[in-house]
Amino acid sequence: MSTTTHQGTALITGASTGIGAVYADRLARRGYDLILVARDAAKLAEHAARITAATGRRVDTIAADLTNKADLRAVEARLREDRSITALVNNAGFGATKPLADSDIDDLEKMIDLNVTALTRLTSAVVPTLVAHGSGTIINISSIVAVAPELLNGTYAGTKSYVLAFTQSLHHELSPKGIRVQAVLPGATGTPFWERAGIGSADNLPAEIVMPAEEMVDASLAGFDLGELVTIPSLPDAADWERADSARKALGPNLSRRSAATRYQQAATA
Ligand code: NAP
């Protein structure tokens, strides 16, 4: 779906390169004014000028390191105070490929700060405004490692599992208030992510598993238009995800009971 009706303003984190930069382009074409957030002010300004020239949309930028408390608070304040904001795309994030034993724990803590803490605080800042509007959109960029934690680095997988669980919970909380949320689980996507994650380039991965960022974002927005809560752009059959999610939900009635399962009672008395 494409429209030029004015949709309000979308704030997109990590919009200087890769997936976030494509979201910026696509949401502007859908009629959003934009607030683009990342650390690289020059890249943001270039991108903003390109988008305004192509679409005529108003594009503001905020240069912020979302792992820095003062910078993060400034973006939160904008989300709380700017009543034109109707959408948040929590996209800024980074990954890692080394095992825990070979990783720098300070780098991993920074990853949690960005992928989890910043995403949570920004969401918390925007929700009251969206609830007041009775509408709005939150798109959270997770990853397929949320459901395949044996791939890549375990902390990265943990952060992206958090994003998935948080989004599922937000859907439960916010859909009755008219707010759409979506978790996007990209597979390998051709962006600078892979250089930053320490494996050189996406070109070092098998070509058949790497999707161009444009195709990934267009598929995710198509998933959004289809009303999906969870979008896995590569997955050929959406029913595979629905079956997995139904199996999870089927555990529900047995997850909290007065007594331990029989097999544990037997083990305790053996
Ligand atoms: P990318 O090209 O490296 O983009 C990451 C973006 O986040 C950049 O705009 C970067 O801008 C920004 N960023 C990084 N650290 C930041 C910080 N401390 N504060 C503010 N902004 C920061 O990677 P990408 O592939 O587009 O990644 C976007 C999201 O997709 C991430 O959450 C990633 O985990 C997820 N994802 C990627 C893949 C993949 O294969 N590429 C697969 C699954 C999920 P500055 O450097 O200017 O700050």
Side-chain angles (χ1 to χ4, degrees), residues 1-7 28-32 57:
M1 186 189 75
S2 149
T3 173
T4 49
T5 310
H6 188 226
Q7 303 286 325
R29 291 177 193 281
R30 284 177 173 229
Y32 285 91
R57 288 291 159 202

Side-chain angles (χ1 to χ4, degrees), residues 199-238:
I199 70 156
S201 153
D203 296 342
N204 294 333
L205 299 169
E208 64 274 15
I209 67 158
V210 183
M211 191 179 291
E214 291 76 10
E215 188 168 346
M216 202 296 287
V217 173
D218 288 337
S220 298
L221 287 169
F224 184 85
D225 294 341
L226 288 169
E228 291 181 355
L229 163 60
V230 176
T231 296
I232 305 176
S234 301
L235 196 69
D237 187 354

Side-chain angles (χ1 to χ4, degrees), residues 81-155:
E81 288 155 19
D82 186 338
R83 310 298 287 178
S84 78
I85 293 176
T86 53
L88 169 65
V89 181
N90 275 309
N91 162 77
F94 71 92
T97 51
K98 285 189 204 158
L100 179 66
D102 301 332
S103 300
D104 179 331
I105 190 61
D106 293 329
D107 291 346
L108 297 181
E109 186 179 5
K110 229 173 197 159
M111 183 192 291
I112 296 168
D113 288 346
L114 182 62
N115 297 8
V116 174
T117 306
L119 176 141
T120 307
R121 292 195 65 102
L122 296 177
T123 303
S124 163
V126 82
V127 160
T129 309
L130 302 186
V131 169
H133 288 321
S135 64
T137 299
I138 301 171
I139 297 174
N140 290 330
I141 307 302
S142 173
S143 163
I144 54 149
V145 297
V147 292
E150 298 83 1
L151 298 172
L152 308 184
N153 168 277
T155 305

Side-chain angles (χ1 to χ4, degrees), residues 14-20 38-40 64-67 91-93 114 141-143 156 160 186-189 191-194 196:
S16 61
T17 59
I19 291 167
R39 291 166 302 182
D40 189 328
D65 179 345
L66 296 173
T67 65
N91 162 77
L114 182 62
I141 307 302
S142 173
S143 163
Y156 180 56
K160 293 301 181 176
T189 309
T191 73
F193 172 92
W194 293 97
R196 293 172 169 186

